[in-house]
Amino acid sequence: MQWQTVCKQEDLIPDVGVAAIFEEQQVAIFYLPKTEQKVFALGNWDPCSKANVLSRGLLGNLGNKLVVASPLYKQHFDLQTGQCLEENVSVPCWAARLVDGKVELASHENREC
Amino acid sequence: MTQTQQHKPQLVVVGNGMVGHHFIEECLTHSGHEHYQITVIGAEANLAYDRVHLSDYFNGKSAAELAFTNGTLYNRNGIQYRTSTKVVSLNPDAHTVTLDSGENLRYDKLVLATGSYPFVPPITGHDRKNTFVYRTLEDLDAIKACAETAKTGTVVGGGLLGLEAANALKNLGLETSVVEFAPRLMPVQLDEAGGAQLKSMIESLGVRVYTATATQKIIDGDNAVHRMVFANQEGKEQDSYLETDLILFSAGIRPYDQLARESGLEVGDRGGITINNHCLTSHPDIYAIGECALWQGRIYGLVAPGYSMAKAAVAHLFSTGGNAFTGADMSTKLKLLGCDVGSIGDAHATTAGAKTFFYQDDIAGCYRKIVVSADAKKLLGAVLVGDNSQYDTLLQYYLNGIDLPEQPESLILPTTSESPALGVDALPASASICSCLNVTKGDISTAVANGALSVADVKSATKASTGCGGCAALLKKVVDNELLALGVEVSTDVCEHFAYTRQALYDLIKIGEIKTFDELISKHGRGYGCMVCRPLVGSMLASIWNEYVLAEPHVSLQDTNDRYLANMQKDGTYSVVPRIPGGEITPEKLIVIGEVAKKYHLYTKITGGQRIDLFGARQEQLPAIWQTLIEAGFETGQAYGKSVRTVKSCVGSTWCRFGVNDSMKMAIDIENRYKGLRAPHKLKFAVSGCTRECAEAQSKDIGVIATEGGWNLYVCGNGGMKPRHADLFATDLDDKTLIQYIDRILMFYVKTADRLQRTSVWMDNLEGGLAYLKAVVIHDKLGLAQELEAQMAHLVDTFQCEWKTTLQDPQKLKAFKPFVNDDRSDNNIIFVEERDQIRPATEQEKHTLLVNS
Ligand code: SRM
Ligand SMILES: Cc1cc2nc3c(=O)[nH]c(=O)nc-3n(C[C@H](O)[C@H](O)[C@H](O)COP(=O)(O)OP(=O)(O)OC[C@H]3O[C@@H](n4cnc5c(N)ncnc54)[C@H](O)[C@@H]3O)c2cc1C
Ligand code: SF4
Ligand code: FES
């Protein structure tokens, strides 16, 4: 896997998302300091509302899935797979990690993560 | 009149009271008006109204609010009606009735629903001025007028109605006494100990009670209008007396049966028109229903049996297959002068072999008795005074003949551990849940099975709980139970992360002084939280501690709108709504708004809440927009929060020729006091300068209308999906009391409402509804008033304009940048122009624009 830095850890806010541009695509990066993986990256484009808003959704867990809720019509997207829980759509998903104060994404888009 | 109508047989209803009206409604349900020309004759000036809630007329309900119809229902269905018209005689052979105008009406079928009148004992002086009865709206008008000058009032009769009337006199500000001939209060329903308990409770409220007292005569008083001279044991005059300005007779009711009696129909020895199970009188074309009817030697002085009679008569008349009348239960549960009283079945243990258990607690002030069958298996009756919490359970044991527990006394003993509450599961389908409207558990199951999945839906489907309201709690239990049986989850937990209700969480936060979500979830919850509990807890923390919502520990709890302090639109841009208290704005400020809109190219619209909304702001533009607005003196309008929105106002007395008070100033004061208050749902207020009500205050959560005497306060209205008119809460308040009541109402709502529950639904779900809310807010029943006010004071003192705070924090401002690693903005936001302003481009338009560029 090709890791690339997208932004600094200090750009992140605990338990909320931020948006970034990564390889000319809008990515929503979520920082969940209390989970094992800590950072997650999904496409920022919400296919249900057709707007770039997922980074501005609320975070949480439903059962054993970590999710973000779209701020517009409230569908949930699985942070680990990008799959929408209510509708048969999904968003792109990147592998993400924190290294030395930097946020790194795996350079290729990977639907399965 | 059309040809066909003329040839329809005639159905005449005499009396347009509660039961007469119900009869007509039942006819309409079964299309009876298509077979008969229906005519209803009523002696009162008003069409049928809710006599059961007559006392509410003194609490601010208008005649129009108590009315069952303003005539529309009748007009629409071709029913002819006459008010202020009396039937003076009846000729069964000729099939005619004669009106007081002298006119004769022919009928094919006649229904007597003449009700009853209050009995006035023929004491010398009973017809002096300032003596009244308590039955009609006119009676209440007369009492009210007299109470304006009277200082003292006395009710003759200590039964159910007498005590209700005493309460009314007390509320009118009179020093009140009750004189009862029998040795105890409510002799019909209560036993001696229960009556004594009630007496001492009522006396502690400042009402004087004379039992075993008969009045010999009424003469001129020395210090009041009347002197009531009491009789001694032998019925002789004695020197004890009571002076009073106003006398109200409530010594029982007598059926209006003259028409029947004089025309030779069978009547009872002690009055009442004799009927059979089909409510037919001794003449085959004449029915009698309601309080004028005598069934198996009984007259029922309650409305529910009357409604059943109306149904039975309709069933017989139109052969609908409905049930005949087979008697009714007379159990009652009520609050008299603030005391709970309940009486079920054989309260006096007159059944052979009956055994009784009783429990009395003079400290808590309650008395409970149950009467059980000789074998202690069945409940025959009960008396409850001071605490009605077991009433519903006991009534179900009684009505359904359910086997009593091993130790029946456990039903009335104080609940040390778990009391053997009767699960609604145990009730048979035939169990009556709402006796007023005669709705059984089976009816409710059917409604739920047909898709009524909430108490509100079941209420509208079955009409259950729309009468006296006494069955509300039980109804909820049955509905929940049915939902459970259908596998519909009725857990009251807020979500999978907290096994608590909102109210319980609120208390945990407050009592545990919990300041953050993390602390709450680690102590009382599990998991990571979700879209339900995060904003919920965020809102409660704000309602309780009022910290800056974007402070680090709270930011992850805020829904997108709160997080960016603006409302997200469909394309991810935001709208900006500055606060414009009361809708009043200077030209300078208007110009600033205009300039901001122009500079940032925003779509501008006047909102439904008397302010101006600027749409199409990009996330990154929000700080600069607000910088300009705040410099011009604006504050955030919190259009994004579940919080106080706007206070709508009219110009009021300053400009308007009709205004009686300065509604504008009051609106601005109210808006400034409560702005920023976060609540379970949004809150909207309005203030009108007079009853013309140009500000539509009666459609708001809190509505204020100026009166000659101050302000009338309306509560718990809303527009939106399910519009509901606000209820009149208090009248003629001065400024200070008005604010005090609003403080208490709002904080009580914040404390006890469920998540996303607007005030209307909240109040409808409070057991006891409006009356309970009044008790808590006006009479401080829960002893909470001070705490509620103190908490509101805290919120008022700690208000901050969230935009102002945000603009001072560079760290927070960073969050408005669209991308953390790039200075561009979202290229998917594209506007086109329409009517000289911007709007989001449609998908199609975007596609075309992108291709062309
Ligand atoms: C802007 C405005 C419409 C307008 O163009 O005039 C508006 C716009 C919205 N309304 Fe409204 N409502 C607006 C007045 C009303 C009114 C009329 C009034 O307040 O006099 C009502 C009915 C009255 C009432 O609420 O009792 C109203 C009933 C609703 C409802 C239904 C509430 C209900 O209890 O059924 C919602 C949905 C909700 O809150 O769950 C809603 C929700 C919304 C939201 C917040 C929907 C959303 O989440 O995007 C809209 C976005 C506002 C924005 O972007 O700024 N809006 N909305 C009005 C703003 C008033 C203001 O100055 O703050
Ligand atoms: C203050 C008060 C509180 C009450 N509280 C309760 C309660 O909590 N629960 C409960 O179940 N019940 C209660 N009741 C009793 C309840 O109101 C009556 O049971 C119910 O109104 C009976 O209905 P009805 O139609 O038989 O009689 P009414 O409602 O009295 O109607 C009879 C109508 O017929 C008219 N009429 C009579 N004679 C003629 C004529 N010759 N020609 C034309 N019209 C005529 C009368 O003017 C009257 O309008 C209360 C009553 C009062 C007064
Ligand atoms: S409510 Fe009354 S005072 Fe206000 S504008 Fe209307 S008429 Fe005038
Ligand atoms: S029992 Fe009176 S409304 Fe249901």
Side-chain angles (χ1 to χ4, degrees):
Chain A
M1 241 185 283
Q2 278 283 186
W3 292 101
Q4 280 192 48
T5 302
V6 60
C7 63
K8 290 178 289 222
Q9 183 173 349
E10 66 187 51
D11 293 329
L12 304 178
I13 309 168
D15 299 326
V16 301
V18 299
I21 292 188
F22 184 68
E23 297 187 327
E24 286 309 304
Q25 286 198 65
Q26 289 196 26
V27 210
I29 303 173
F30 303 102
Y31 179 35
L32 286 74
K34 289 184 291 291
T35 66
E36 206 175 315
Q37 191 182 326
K38 294 192 169 47
V39 278
F40 301 83
L42 300 182
N44 196 28
W45 174 258
D46 170 7
C48 303
S49 65
K50 302 201 173 7
N52 286 308
V53 294
L54 287 188
S55 61
R56 290 174 266 170
L58 274 170
L59 295 170
N61 76 292
L62 291 182
N64 55 11
K65 289 194 172 82
L66 290 169
V67 291
V68 60
S70 162
L72 281 166
Y73 303 115
K74 314 295 175 193
Q75 292 88 351
H76 297 91
F77 293 86
D78 188 331
L79 293 187
Q80 268 152 340
T81 65
Q83 180 62 45
C84 175
L85 304 194
E86 290 84 7
E87 277 163 57
N88 191 19
V89 289
S90 62
V91 296
C93 168
W94 287 264
R97 67 181 189 192
L98 289 176
V99 177
D100 300 335
K102 286 179 307 230
V103 183
E104 295 185 342
L105 303 189
S107 67
H108 66 283
E109 177 191 320
N110 177 354
R111 277 187 190 276
E112 275 74 45
C113 293
Chain B
M1 229 188 234
T2 65
Q3 201 60 24
T4 47
Q5 265 174 331
Q6 240 160 20
H7 293 292
K8 275 192 205 167
Q10 304 286 321
L11 172 61
V12 173
V13 182
V14 186
N16 187 224
M18 296 187 75
V19 174
H21 176 73
H22 194 78
F23 173 84
I24 291 174
E25 283 186 324
E26 280 293 311
C27 284
L28 293 177
T29 322
H30 294 100
S31 306
H33 59 306
E34 288 167 12
H35 305 292
Y36 280 93
Q37 170 57 48
I38 304 179
T39 306
V40 51
I41 314 287
E44 288 185 67
N46 294 285
L47 282 176
Y49 53 88
D50 188 353
R51 201 180 307 286
V52 167
H53 290 105
L54 188 63
S55 294
D56 288 349
Y57 191 54
F58 279 156
N59 303 331
K61 271 244 170 110
S62 64
E65 284 173 289
L66 289 173
F68 287 137
T69 172
N70 57 12
T72 324
L73 179 76
Y74 294 171
N75 291 332
R76 224 181 324 129
N77 293 294
I79 288 163
Q80 301 186 342
Y81 60 90
R82 310 219 194 158
T83 51
S84 306
T85 305
K86 220 173 152 176
V87 172
V88 290
S89 68
L90 158 63
N91 186 338
D93 296 335
H95 282 72
T96 57
V97 290
T98 309
L99 309 185
D100 50 5
S101 59
E103 193 185 336
N104 279 325
L105 278 189
R106 226 199 74 76
Y107 65 80
D108 294 282
K109 297 283 177 187
L110 184 72
V111 176
L112 297 172
T114 46
S116 58
Y117 59 93
F119 169 66
V120 177
I123 308 166
T124 313
H126 71 267
D127 49 0
R128 289 163 53 89
K129 67 162 191 180
N130 286 12
T131 60
F132 304 94
V133 294
Y134 198 78
R135 178 86 193 175
T136 65
L137 286 167
E138 280 93 352
D139 292 337
L140 268 65
D141 283 330
I143 293 169
K144 195 172 189 178
C146 176
E148 274 165 22
T149 50
K151 289 202 181 56
T152 49
T154 300
V155 176
V156 177
L160 225 145
L161 275 178
L163 295 178
E164 183 169 331
N167 190 39
L169 292 189
K170 187 164 168 276
N171 289 342
L172 286 172
L174 301 188
E175 210 179 287
T176 305
S177 307
V178 174
V179 177
E180 167 59 51
F181 176 73
R184 61 175 180 275
L185 291 175
M186 293 185 62
V188 182
Q189 293 87 357
L190 296 185
D191 61 4
E192 202 163 318
Q197 180 76 47
L198 182 62
K199 179 175 172 197
S200 80
M201 292 176 76
I202 287 177
E203 282 176 332
S204 72
L205 295 168
V207 173
R208 272 196 286 170
V209 179
Y210 301 80
T211 45
T213 303
T215 307
Q216 173 86 22
K217 62 180 178 189
I218 306 168
I219 54 175
D220 281 340
D222 287 343
N223 301 308
V225 176
H226 309 287
R227 171 178 292 191
M228 300 170 64
V229 181
F230 295 146
N232 64 11
Q233 294 295 344
E234 289 79 46
K236 294 272 157 45
E237 189 174 318
Q238 63 173 36
D239 40 6
S240 75
Y241 63 84
L242 169 67
E243 296 223 331
T244 181
D245 294 325
L246 179 160
I247 298 177
L248 204 162
F249 292 103
S250 180
I253 53 171
R254 296 289 182 271
Y256 267 128
D257 58 8
Q258 303 89 315
L259 290 175
R261 184 186 300 274
E262 288 163 11
S263 60
L265 299 186
E266 187 182 323
V267 293
D269 292 341
R270 289 159 57 211
I273 310 167
T274 309
I275 57 168
N276 65 13
N277 290 4
H278 302 303
C279 302
L280 270 181
T281 63
S282 55
H283 191 287
D285 291 324
I286 306 179
Y287 297 84
I289 54 178
E291 277 187 356
C292 62
L294 182 75
W295 180 84
Q296 297 203 350
R298 290 196 76 161
I299 286 181
Y300 292 94
L302 292 177
V303 73
Y307 282 179
S308 305
M309 289 179 195
K311 277 205 178 77
V314 167
H316 186 252
L317 185 57
F318 301 107
S319 312
T320 65
N323 291 334
F325 183 75
T326 51
D329 176 49
M330 292 289 282
S331 302
T332 23
K333 159 170 101 166
L334 30 118
K335 220 180 201 64
L336 289 168
L337 291 145
C339 311
D340 282 328
V341 178
S343 163
I344 293 174
D346 182 9
H348 302 297
T350 52
T351 313
K355 307 239 177 331
T356 62
F357 295 88
F358 66 88
Y359 171 78
Q360 181 160 9
D361 175 349
D362 284 339
I363 294 172
C366 69
Y367 169 81
R368 311 182 190 120
K369 175 171 97 172
I370 50 175
V371 179
V372 304
S373 58
D375 58 2
K377 283 247 157 59
K378 304 283 178 195
L379 187 72
L380 301 177
V383 176
L384 300 169
V385 177
D387 170 16
N388 256 342
S389 48
Q390 278 104 333
Y391 180 88
D392 288 345
T393 304
L394 292 173
L395 184 65
Q396 293 303 334
Y397 273 107
Y398 168 69
L399 289 179
N400 302 302
I402 298 169
D403 278 343
L404 285 168
E406 223 30 78
Q407 283 159 331
E409 69 273 23
S410 60
L411 290 172
I412 52 167
L413 288 177
T415 48
T416 38
S417 55
E418 83 275 25
S419 71
L422 180 64
V424 286
D425 254 357
L427 299 178
S430 61
S432 165
I433 303 302
C434 170
S435 49
C436 288
L437 279 300
N438 203 358
V439 181
T440 61
K441 184 181 166 195
D443 298 335
I444 294 168
S445 317
T446 313
V448 171
N450 290 339
L453 295 185
S454 67
V455 172
D457 290 349
V458 171
K459 251 173 135 168
S460 63
T462 62
K463 299 276 179 290
S465 200
T466 57
C468 70
C471 58
L474 182 63
L475 175 68
K476 179 166 188 319
K477 278 195 205 134
V478 175
V479 172
D480 284 352
N481 187 56
E482 290 299 323
L483 289 173
L484 212 60
L486 279 185
V488 181
E489 182 89 56
V490 280
S491 158
T492 53
D493 299 352
V494 298
C495 65
E496 65 178 84
H497 305 100
F498 291 99
Y500 295 97
T501 60
R502 179 189 178 277
Q503 191 176 352
L505 275 182
Y506 183 97
D507 290 337
L508 286 173
I509 293 174
K510 191 137 187 263
I511 294 158
E513 297 198 20
I514 291 175
K515 298 282 172 71
T516 66
F517 180 82
D518 286 350
E519 188 184 346
L520 185 71
I521 201 160
S522 66
K523 284 197 177 137
H524 302 290
R526 58 177 170 271
Y528 203 83
C530 67
M531 301 74 227
V532 171
C533 60
R534 283 179 171 264
L536 170 67
V537 172
S539 159
M540 289 192 292
L541 290 170
S543 303
I544 298 173
W545 312 120
N546 213 16
E547 290 176 343
Y548 173 47
V549 290
L550 297 187
E552 176 91 17
H554 309 316
V555 67
S556 69
L557 311 181
Q558 309 306 333
D559 241 321
T560 313
N561 287 356
D562 287 275
R563 184 169 152 212
Y564 290 92
L565 306 173
N567 294 50
M568 184 185 269
Q569 304 300 311
K570 58 197 285 185
D571 59 352
T573 62
Y574 288 91
S575 74
V576 171
V577 189
R579 187 168 293 289
I580 303 180
E584 184 182 87
I585 185 164
T586 60
E588 286 72 25
K589 282 190 168 167
L590 266 180
I591 290 168
V592 172
I593 290 188
E595 280 170 346
V596 166
K598 222 158 127 183
K599 176 164 175 194
Y600 296 94
H601 210 53
L602 306 174
Y603 168 80
T604 312
K605 179 183 181 300
I606 311 284
T607 71
Q610 294 190 333
R611 41 192 194 173
I612 301 171
D613 204 342
L614 309 173
F615 293 83
R618 292 163 180 270
Q619 182 179 334
E620 63 270 26
Q621 292 174 324
L622 291 172
I625 291 174
W626 274 104
Q627 186 71 45
T628 316
L629 291 172
I630 282 176
E631 278 165 13
F634 285 105
E635 283 180 341
T636 176
Q638 260 120 358
Y640 43 81
K642 295 286 175 237
S643 58
V644 171
R645 294 287 168 84
T646 66
V647 181
K648 191 170 169 177
S649 176
C650 71
V651 287
S653 57
T654 320
W655 290 93
C656 177
R657 64 196 166 123
F658 295 121
V660 293
N661 209 337
D662 192 348
S663 51
M664 202 61 241
K665 177 175 187 307
M666 182 52 82
I668 295 173
D669 288 351
I670 290 181
E671 184 151 349
N672 283 328
R673 181 170 181 80
Y674 301 113
K675 65 188 174 191
L677 171 70
R678 281 188 156 71
H681 208 312
K682 61 187 169 195
L683 285 161
K684 298 180 176 183
F685 304 1
V687 185
S688 279
C690 80
T691 65
R692 285 168 192 75
E693 247 283 69
C694 303
E696 300 172 304
Q698 289 167 94
S699 66
K700 301 296 178 193
D701 298 279
I702 297 285
V704 177
I705 301 177
T707 65
E708 299 283 351
W711 306 99
N712 281 358
L713 173 60
Y714 289 81
V715 299
C716 303
N718 61 245
M721 286 168 263
K722 249 204 169 150
R724 179 187 190 284
H725 272 195
D727 285 311
L728 181 59
F729 186 79
T731 55
D732 295 333
L733 302 175
D734 57 31
D735 292 11
K736 197 169 149 250
T737 315
L738 174 70
I739 298 296
Q740 192 178 42
Y741 285 180
I742 301 177
D743 276 5
R744 294 178 186 175
I745 294 166
L746 291 178
M747 283 321 305
F748 191 53
Y749 165 63
V750 166
K751 182 178 160 68
T752 59
D754 211 345
R755 138 182 196 279
L756 299 186
Q757 196 174 45
R758 283 194 75 172
T759 54
S760 58
V761 183
W762 165 68
M763 186 177 75
D764 289 343
N765 278 299
L766 281 180
E767 204 179 316
L770 179 66
Y772 177 69
L773 186 59
K774 282 186 186 170
V776 172
V777 169
I778 302 177
H779 307 297
D780 196 11
K781 180 187 156 107
L782 301 180
L784 271 179
Q786 254 189 339
E787 181 190 327
L788 297 174
E789 280 176 46
Q791 203 174 339
M792 183 60 85
H794 169 72
L795 296 180
V796 172
D797 291 345
T798 52
F799 168 80
Q800 53 183 305
C801 168
E802 290 148 352
W803 263 111
K804 204 168 184 176
T805 312
T806 304
L807 290 173
Q808 287 157 359
D809 183 345
Q811 199 57 37
K812 293 287 168 226
L813 291 177
K814 259 178 57 184
F816 289 89
K817 213 173 155 258
F819 304 107
V820 285
N821 62 349
D822 199 296
D823 287 331
R824 283 174 287 177
S825 59
D826 183 358
N827 61 3
N828 181 52
I829 297 175
I830 299 175
F831 301 114
V832 293
E833 292 222 347
E834 189 172 273
R835 293 188 301 277
D836 302 327
Q837 298 206 63
I838 59 155
R839 69 156 168 81
T842 61
E843 281 306 296
Q844 179 85 51
E845 287 165 341
K846 275 185 193 172
H847 190 72
T848 326
L849 287 169
L850 288 175
V851 169
N852 290 347
S853 64

